[in-house]
Structures are given as structure tokens and as C-alpha cells.
Amino acid sequence: MNNDLEHRYRAVSARIAETAHTLQATPPLLLAVSKKHSSETIRALYNLGQRDFGESYWQEAETKMQTLEDLDLVWHFIGPIQSNKTRPIAEHFHWVHSVEREKIARRLSEQRPDHLPPLNLCLQVNIDREASKSGVLPEAVLPLAKAIQGLPKIRLRGLMCIPERRGDSKSQQQSFRRLAKLGTDLESAGIATDTLSMGMSSDLESAIREGSTIVRIGSAIFGTRA
Ligand SMILES: *Cc1c(COP(=O)(O)O)cnc(C)c1O
């Protein structure tokens, strides 16, 4: 089982390295999305050199954080955030990729403990305007960024998206391009960010082509499991 894990992990790392190399670009950070996978599997990946892990549910993450307390892991929250769940997220994570409301950003800033550095934060953008999907609409990104940028205990790092699932990688790539453009628009408005959290197991190459700085990879590393 660990052989398979190692094999898949190395294959994903190679896909990232090769794509970046071809583009002569800096390879993005590999965020291993460990939701629904065990602490033991996370530890095995740690032993292969992986440090950044993404979780979508606080309850599930809490158990893993306790079990893995002895490791210097970097935890990223990537799931939907209810306002009554902001406190543990503010206290235990290094990054949050899924902020879509001012109220949530304010609570995260207020609840971030003083002894910790500001929480790194990305705005989740509903880049393909899907009715079923979370995230701010593209035109709401700048107003939201302006509203939260001065908050003391968060640091706005950039934008995140989950594009609409489509068969062809060309239109997928268009979505990533539009997210990158929104990042540039922020910069023109005086809000400098350095992060585009985009690209998953099936489309990491397109995302890297459009300037991804963090790819969030689940199934290609962990395999598929019910
Ligand atoms: C589960 C998840 C991923 C990983 O998706 P894969 O297709 O398994 O790589 C990435 N981002 C978010 C927000 C997720 O919830």
C-alpha cells in the first residue's frame, strides 16, 4: 500500500516538475489534499518529504492534528466555512483557501491568537459562475479584497478556484486564465498578492501553464476511495 502511495506521490511530483520545467516557470507548491485519508497516510507522505496538507472539515482535521503533533506540518483549510467554525480554524491552520465573505475574514482575524503570525488567506472565486458552487463572483473580488485587506491578523495572499468540470482542457485553462487576470487586477488596484491556488489531480498542467503557485492534489496522490 505504501509502495503505491510512494509511486503516486513521485508521479505527481514529476508531473509538476516537468510541466514547470517545460515552461521555465517556478514549480508551484504541492498541497496534498488529505481529506478522508488517515493520519498514518499523512505520516507516510511526511516521511517522503511532504509538508503541506489540505483538509476540508474541522472535526476530521482536529483528530489528525492531535495524532501528528510531533511533525512540523503546514495545514491548509480548503473547505466551506460556517461562521460558528471560524475559531478552531483561526487557531490551528496556517492557511485558509476558501474565504468568500467579509464576515468570515473578520472573524478569522479577530480569533487568530496573538502569539501566531497572521493567517494566510485566499479568496475562493466562483470563476465559472456556477449556481451550485461556493465562492465570490469575479466582479465581487476587488470589493471584498478592499474590505478585508487591512484586517490585522490575516494576510491576503491571493485567489483560489475550482473550475467547472469540463471534458476539454482548453476551456479549463480559460478559467485558470481568468483567475490569474483577477489577480493582476488586484495588483493594479494596489492590492499585491502572490498566490494562485488552482489545479487539481486532473488539470494541474493547465493550471501551471496559467501561473498556479499552489496545486491542490487529492486522488492522484492518495488514490480513489469511497
Ligand atoms: C478534494 C479537493 C481537492 C482535490 O481534488 P482531486 O481531484 O482529488 O485532486 C482540491 N481542492 C479542493 C477544494 C478539494 O475539496
Side-chain angles (χ1 to χ4, degrees), residues 19 169 172-173 176 198 203-211:
T19 308
S169 67
Q172 205 96 332
Q173 194 160 334
F176 293 138
M198 57 186 198
D203 56 17
L204 69 89
E205 286 85 358
S206 317
I208 296 173
R209 264 180 236 122
E210 296 303 332

Side-chain angles (χ1 to χ4, degrees), residues 33 35 56 78-79 124 160 162 165 199-202 216-220:
V33 177
K35 63 178 186 221
S56 302
I78 61 170
Q124 181 170 352
M160 179 273 240
I162 308 171
R165 226 173 233 296
M200 311 193 339
S201 293
S202 60
R216 310 179 310 272
I217 309 299
S219 51

